[in-house]
Amino acid sequence: LVDDHEVVRHGISDVLDAQPGLEVVGEASTCGEAKGRIAATLPDVAVLDMHLPDGSGIDLCRHIRQEHPSVRCLILTAFDDDDAVLAAI
């Protein structure tokens, strides 16, 4: 779970952990942190914020998919940005 806002991370983590069969195995607040945590935990899915302090969730997704093809990415954003949505796809 990658989001630069701690409150958002904890909220999403609580919601996911409450679901049967889902477990948050790691959290990060930056792309740099996420790369290390994902390599260490190899989650089934990485939930990524679109805007991070040291890069974008889209670039992070590209890195994850290249380095760890079995990890799927889900990108979250509160912004209404058609260009970002197309880039994510």
Side-chain angles (χ1 to χ4, degrees):
L1 179 56
V2 185
D3 195 295
D4 56 325
H5 297 96
E6 185 176 2
V7 172
V8 173
R9 271 197 329 272
H10 288 296
I12 294 171
S13 180
D14 289 348
V15 169
L16 293 175
D17 280 336
Q19 302 303 309
L22 295 181
E23 176 186 7
V24 176
V25 296
E27 295 182 18
S29 61
T30 66
C31 292
E33 284 180 12
K35 290 174 184 177
R37 296 257 165 84
I38 289 168
T41 60
L42 292 177
D44 294 327
V45 177
V47 180
L48 314 173
D49 185 13
M50 177 71 78
H51 301 284
L52 297 162
D54 60 343
S56 77
I58 293 169
D59 291 337
L60 178 57
C61 177
R62 288 182 181 135
H63 170 83
I64 292 166
R65 298 292 295 143
Q66 182 175 8
E67 296 296 317
H68 313 286
S70 66
V71 177
R72 302 293 183 229
C73 295
L74 176 64
I75 299 177
L76 300 177
T77 184
F79 296 97
D80 185 15
D81 182 349
D82 291 340
D83 290 335
V85 170
L86 291 175
I89 292 170

